[in-house]
Structures are given as C-alpha cells and as structure tokens.
Amino acid sequence: MGVKVGIDLGTTFSAVAVINEKTGQPNIVPNTAGERITPSVIQFTENGDIIVGTEAKDAYEFGEYGCTSVFKRCMGNDEPYCTFYGKSYSSEELSAILLRYLKEEAEAVLHQTIDEAVVTVPAYFYHKERGATLRAAKRAGLNVRQLINEPTAAAMSYGVNHWRENANILVYDLGGGTFDVTLVEMKKNGQMISKQTKGNHILGGKDWDSSLSSLIINKIESEIAYYKQDHPEIESIVAQSAESIKKQLTTKNTAQISLYLPEYGTYKTEISIDDFNSVTVDLLNETGTLCRDVLQEAGLTWENLTDILLVGGSTRMRQVSDYLYKLSGNRHKPLTQVNPDEAVALGAAIQVHLPLPKYIVLSSAPSDDKDLKTANYQFRKTKAKPKSYLPGKIGKETALPSALSIVQRDVVAHAMGVIAVNQEGTAYINKTIVPANQTIPVKYAESFNYYTSSYEENEVEIYVLQGEKPPLESEIIGKYVVSGITHNPNENPTIIKIQYSYDINGMIHVQARQGNGKSDLPIREEGIPDDMSKYGRPIDESEKPKKLGDLYVVMALDVSGSMSGKPLKNASDAMCNFIDMLSDYPGKVEIGVLAVSDRTCCVQALTTNMEKCKKETQSITCGLTGYCNAADPFDEIKNMLHGKKGKKIGIVLADGVWENQYDAVLRAKKCHKSEIDIIGIGFGSADEQFLKDISSGDIDSMMVARSGELTKSFGKIAQEIGGSGKKHSRFDTKQKTETWQAPGE
Ligand code: ADP
Ligand code: MG
C-alpha cells in the first residue's frame, strides 16, 4: 500500500507533503539532502544525467550550460522552452522531469511508493496550463487525484489549525513568478469555499529582482560612468546577485553590494530599503488593484474581511505586509501563521484525503492523453543517504481525524465563452457561457437553432474561449466540431444543445446533443487555425449575406384538393420556417402570402410583421379558393410587388398539373419583365417543365418528391437570397436548457 502526497509544483521552489498518521497533521517531506523545499531548476549534463534542485540552481547561478528554470511560466505552450545537447524540452516535459524527481526523492525518504497525489496550480491557470500539468504528472508516473488552486491549498493548511466560523480570508499569494489573490470563506461544519479569485501569472518575485537590477545598473552608470551599452555583460552580473540583495533587505534596512565589473574591478555600493521600495511600488500596486477587485466582486469591504493570509516566498518582503496594512485602511495586519514556502504543499496533502466533489466523468478523454506514457529519466544520484525526517511513521492509509474533515470547494477564475456573432450581425463577440468564479465542478448548457439546407451538412464548429475580452484577446481554448447531426425534414431548424463544463480540475469539457436526444453527438477537437484574424475584424461583406437592399417576397401556395392533410401542413410549416430563416436578412424584409386554386386570394398583404405572417400562413385551409387549379397567382404577385424598390421575389408552390399552364407561363413572363424573380417549387405530380418555364433569375426551379422535403428547398432559397439557412447558424441568445449527466456520472 502506497502513500498519498500533496505536491506544490512551484515556479521557483517545489515541495511535497504527507499527512502524519499519528497527529493527523500535514508534514513536509524533505528531499534526500534534507531540504524542505526543492528549487524548480534542472540541469542536463553531457552524459545524459539530469540534475534537479539546489545543485542545478547553483550551476544555473554560475552560468553553467544545460540549466533551465522558471519553465512553469510557459506551461501549456507546446513550443520548446529550451534546447541542450541537441534536444529540445517543452515546459510540460521539464515539469514532468521535476515531478518525477520529487516523486523519487519523496519515495526514498518515506520508504514507500507514492500512489496518489494532489498537485497544486495557480488559481489563474487556464485550461491549457492545467491540461499540461496533468499530462506532465502522468508522464512522471504520478496518479493525480485532483489539481487544486494554490491559494485554496494554503488556506486549508491555515484552516486546519485556525478554524473560524463564518470568516472571510483573503489569501495573498506572491510567489516567484505568479500572483494570485483569492477570497476563501470558512463556514460552518468545516466547509471551506473559495469565492473569488484573480491573478496575474507574469507577476512575481522575478519582477522585483528585475526592478532591483535596473536600480543597481542606474547607480553604476551614474556613479562610475560604467555604461550598459559599452558593457552589456553588466546585466547578467547584476541579475545574478539581485535576488540575494533583495533577500538581505528582508531583514536589514540597507544591503551591501560588491560586484566584480570587467575592466573596472570591484565595485561596492549599498541599496536602501527605501530605494528598493520606491522602484517596486508599481508592482505592489498591481497586486493591490487585484485585491480590491476581488473584494468588490464578492461584495465585501476591508471592514467585513476577517483576515489577510500571506503565502508565497515573496511575501517575506516587508513592503508586502506594510502595503496591505495600509491598503486595508490600517485594519488588517496580515497573518503570518503559515510558512509561506510550505503552506501550499501542506494544504494539498490534506486535500488528497478528502472526498472528491461530484465529478464530471469525461465522455471522451482528450485524445493526446490516452497514449501518454510514463517517461524514464535518469537522475544523477546524490551521495547523501536518505534520512527519515518525519515525526512518527507514515503507516497505512487512515482517514483524517474528524477535526480535519474540511469540505473544500474551489472556483475557477476565468469565464468560459464561445465565439458568436453579435445581434446586429456586424462583429464576432465572446459570448459568455459560464461566468467567472463559479464553484467547480459546474456545467452550463445552451441550445441554438441549426438551420441547414443540405443533407451533407451535419457539423457545427464551436470555438471555446476563456476570459471575457473580445475573441482574439481571450485565451482560445479549442475548436470543437460537433458531428453526426441527423436531419429530419419536418424539423428545420434542428435544435442543438451544447453543454459546457468545468470539472474539478478546472478543465473544460464540451458535449452536444440533438433535440431531446439522450445520447451525446460525437465531438472532435481540431487544431485552432493559424489565421484567426477574421474574428477580430468586423464581419465583412463577403462573409455576410450579400446586401441586397430591401427584400419583398410573395409566396403563393396551391390549396387545391390534392393538398388536403399532411401536404398542406408540411407546406405551411416549411413556409413559416422560411420566414424565420429570413429574420437575419441584412435589410428590410416584407413578406406576403397568397392562396391559389380556382381563384387567388390574398392571405397576408406584404408585411414586416413576421409573427402575423406566420400565423396567417398556418391558418390557410385546403379548398380556401376552390378545389381545382383553374387559376394562377402571377398577376396578383405582380400587383403586390408593383412599385417596390429592392429585390422582388415570387415563390410558387405547385402540387399537380394546373389547368391553364400556357397562360400561366405568359403571365409569369410579365413578372420577369417587371424584375420579379419567380421560383417554382413543385411536389407530388407537379409538371417539372412548367416549373422551369415559370422560373427566372439565379435560383432554379425545384422538384421535390414529397411535401416533407419542402423545408430543404426553402433553406436553399433563403441561403441564396441572403437569409440564414447557413451552416453556422446564429445562437439564439438567452435560451437555456437543462444540463445533463455524462454516462457513468
Ligand atoms: P513559487 O511558488 O512561484 O515557486 P515561492 O513561493 O517559492 O515561489 O517564492 C519564491 C520567490 O520568493 C522568489 O522570487 C524568491 O526570490 C522570493 N523570496 C524567497 N525568500 C525571500 C526573502 N527572504 N525575501 C524576499 N523574497 C524572497
Ligand atoms: Mg508557490
């Protein structure tokens, strides 16, 4: 039986923790060298060995070849992060190496195998970065129970020993490369809920180091006229000592600096804490803004906040506490009860023993995950003999003492949206589906009308985004193609329901169903096209249905006896669908309806009131104008469209052979002369040649075998004259449907 651990996979330092069976408390598992945290630095050597941790960090600081660090900042980016000895490594692979190392070290110290882990990630990580973390863990041979947010984990390690009911704790996590601020509420019965989180994943201790470096370089330039432009190496010389100078200023008011400058010799100076504070105040202000935003969005003020908890190595800088104290109107002296380097791993160790919230079982695992194998890495063995550092033996698995029975719920920082067309049809927008800061797991579903005009079209493309900015400024997560849509001629538009969810790891899943179907439609993930620029531009004319000016359509329906029953119902339904399809026509649309058999009668004069038009169409009865086909509607069509400026169209639905087809064709030709396009649609025993003769313009006449297929013909007409009926249909906003369960959930 193995052991379960919590792992803080940090940008600059990582740590592993377990629950001590005797005390029920989480403890850090030191590495085999006895260090409680391990630098997240890797060195590749010429003979293929890999060195991880302090030795690699030292080599890195000496500028040795083969060293790499801070790769977590590029997590989720597939491009190589570094290349050594002809081999390139992505951030994901480097993280896998680091995780594997942490695992082997902890196993050596614990004398047990690790069989499950909770790994922490910055709350601000997107879907891609979380996915890369999960894959890295898998490559490292870790069985990951769950990812949790670092600030949440830190709050848990605090809460274990300092539980307070109905307390709102602001967790301020400033690490080496990232900043996160999270509001955590401790409720009754050990419930701990993360309510809001925000962050900046390119803001951390490294940026304080850079500001300090610039300050020192300015000082050198002005004091001894030793310029960066003449001595570019000055940057790396200063950068190497910036971090230790920063650390000196944690305990002292001035830091002594001694640097060897080529062609100059030893340069000595000092930096005061005030100088340091003044060049980094902007960085602090950036964190302050995010803190205020989090409080505001949670509807809290500094007054009703209970406490501020500091996490992350950079909160050791004195300026952080002082700044937050002032920011809170001198109300809160930040808590220092947790060790900022260790709290995250300790919290993860607690989480690994807690019951999982209801989990969304994936109907389809991301395809690149399935064949991901555990990699083998050859680490250079340290000479130090592993010691056991843990108080008490970590024995077989036990449940946590009841005092620790926390129920933890995380949130996800980012809203999830899709690329959609705005209401005016003029631009692409990011339409939010799942708002930010929802407790996970969470699912939302949405349905939309999918219009089609062809049986071959059975796919819908969806671009999923994270963030609330316009499409190209948000994170484009993926292109999901829903396929297998089946067409029922009586049902156009088809209703497609899409369900979007965040699972407990904050990972996104998309599922789709058709109509009231009970099984999921197949979805495949496709690469995001290289050129997405069109989603940043106004929708241009070529993509939009051609602007044809005003549109006037008269539909004439054959209501002779042969139409009775189903054919009439199918025809009027198809006409109503057609009216819907024209609702996104760019410009004014007026539609009129005629019934024709022995006479012609106007059912609806030209109108822009589509609802009324549909209602009148549905009220048409068989035999309304007699049961035979003595008449034709062309004169009436011509009269109705007389004097209209714009596109004029007459659509004639004919069933069977009309009595006076010869005269009808002559009258139809008069319509053509008056620039009215006539489109004949026939079904049943209609005369195909007659339909061709009456038709004009760009759109051919059409014959369908059964009245049930009329919708298809209308879809084609709508598409050609510039209505919807398009493959990628519009989203009907606000229409929400219930979510559904995945198989096995
Ligand atoms: P991460 O989780 O991103 O790996 P950590 O929480 O381990 O980061 O914090 C590392 C950062 O903390 C580094 O930028 C380091 O310089 C900074 N740090 C550590 N100790 C001190 C200190 N005494 N004073 C100032 N900064 C410190
Ligand atoms: Mg950290």
Side-chain angles (χ1 to χ4, degrees), residues 554-622:
V554 176
M555 290 188 272
L557 175 62
D558 182 340
V559 292
S560 60
S562 56
M563 287 293 286
S564 114
K566 195 92 185 150
L568 181 70
K569 173 88 177 76
N570 285 341
S572 51
D573 283 353
M575 286 162 73
C576 288
N577 257 321
F578 177 69
I579 296 169
D580 279 340
M581 287 181 216
L582 292 182
S583 67
D584 56 0
Y585 179 84
K588 189 176 81 166
V589 184
E590 288 189 16
I591 300 179
V593 181
L594 300 170
V596 59
S597 46
D598 288 333
R599 305 182 302 281
T600 302
C601 128
C602 179
V603 176
Q604 171 64 58
L606 280 173
T607 178
T608 53
N609 185 344
M610 299 305 160
E611 287 313 310
K612 175 153 188 292
C613 195
K614 284 195 282 185
K615 204 168 147 231
E616 297 299 340
T617 303
Q618 288 293 356
S619 72
I620 298 173
T621 51
C622 186

Side-chain angles (χ1 to χ4, degrees), residues 185-487:
E185 189 185 1
M186 293 184 194
K187 299 178 113 164
K188 284 196 181 131
N189 312 327
Q191 270 194 63
M192 181 166 238
I193 316 258
S194 296
K195 290 167 90 179
Q196 298 277 332
T197 188
K198 281 192 184 291
N200 182 342
H201 62 333
I202 47 168
L203 178 66
K206 293 270 159 209
D207 301 293
W208 269 259
D209 299 348
S210 307
S211 298
L212 184 58
S213 292
S214 308
L215 173 69
I216 297 169
I217 290 171
N218 286 342
K219 224 167 149 58
I220 296 172
E221 289 186 330
S222 66
E223 284 177 9
I224 58 168
Y226 188 93
Y227 295 103
K228 192 167 82 177
Q229 66 197 62
D230 306 324
H231 305 277
E233 66 278 17
I234 185 175
E235 280 206 70
S236 66
I237 295 171
V238 172
Q240 273 168 39
S241 46
E243 192 184 4
S244 74
I245 298 167
K246 175 182 76 176
K247 287 184 180 168
Q248 281 185 51
L249 291 169
T250 307
T251 47
K252 295 190 245 157
N253 286 336
T254 47
Q256 305 302 322
I257 303 171
S258 172
L259 296 169
Y260 181 79
L261 304 178
E263 292 171 36
Y264 176 84
T266 305
Y267 164 78
K268 289 193 175 180
T269 189
E270 50 179 48
I271 295 276
S272 74
I273 181 94
D274 291 340
D275 291 343
F276 176 56
N277 288 350
S278 67
V279 295
T280 52
V281 67
D282 289 347
L283 298 172
L284 270 184
N285 283 332
E286 274 187 55
T287 69
T289 305
L290 292 170
C291 291
R292 266 196 237 110
D293 289 352
V294 159
L295 284 182
Q296 198 180 10
E297 281 172 30
L300 283 181
T301 61
W302 291 107
E303 263 168 21
N304 23 71
L305 184 72
T306 317
D307 263 315
I308 302 173
L309 182 66
L310 298 184
V311 196
S314 297
T315 60
R316 289 219 163 83
M317 295 186 291
R318 282 179 287 164
Q319 52 171 242
V320 172
S321 283
D322 296 345
Y323 174 76
L324 289 171
Y325 182 62
K326 283 208 196 89
L327 190 72
S328 69
N330 299 351
R331 284 192 185 84
H332 301 288
K333 281 216 160 58
L335 302 170
T336 48
Q337 273 96 336
V338 305
N339 179 331
D341 299 326
E342 300 180 355
V344 171
L346 295 173
I350 299 170
Q351 180 66 33
V352 81
H353 291 267
L354 302 184
L356 284 174
K358 207 159 155 271
Y359 189 63
I360 296 172
V361 177
L362 319 183
S363 52
S364 58
S367 54
D368 53 342
D369 269 18
K370 279 190 214 115
D371 19 73
L372 203 61
K373 298 239 162 41
T374 302
N376 261 327
Y377 302 113
Q378 178 193 338
F379 295 111
R380 182 189 285 177
K381 291 280 168 267
T382 46
K383 306 221 171 53
K385 217 172 155 237
K387 302 169 223 151
S388 190
Y389 286 90
L390 292 157
K393 194 171 146 281
I394 304 294
K396 56 184 179 335
E397 229 240 284
T398 48
L400 286 179
S402 59
L404 305 189
S405 51
I406 293 172
V407 180
Q408 184 272 124
R409 297 293 302 273
D410 233 332
V411 286
V412 67
H414 309 287
M416 190 197 315
V418 292
I419 298 183
V421 176
N422 66 359
Q423 212 97 65
E424 299 77 35
T426 52
Y428 293 101
I429 54 164
N430 174 0
K431 182 181 170 217
T432 297
I433 305 280
V434 184
N437 286 309
Q438 298 297 300
T439 308
I440 48 177
V442 64
K443 47 190 171 179
Y444 274 67
E446 199 201 35
S447 31
F448 63 89
N449 292 339
Y450 174 75
Y451 296 96
T452 186
S453 56
S454 138
Y455 284 89
E456 284 84 59
E457 288 172 8
N458 63 353
E459 295 192 339
V460 179
E461 288 172 6
I462 298 165
Y463 285 98
V464 175
L465 308 170
Q466 272 187 299
E468 279 153 304
K469 295 194 175 146
L472 298 191
E473 291 165 48
S474 294
E475 281 282 314
I476 303 171
I477 299 307
K479 174 182 175 184
Y480 296 84
V481 182
V482 180
S483 58
I485 297 167
T486 51
H487 297 298

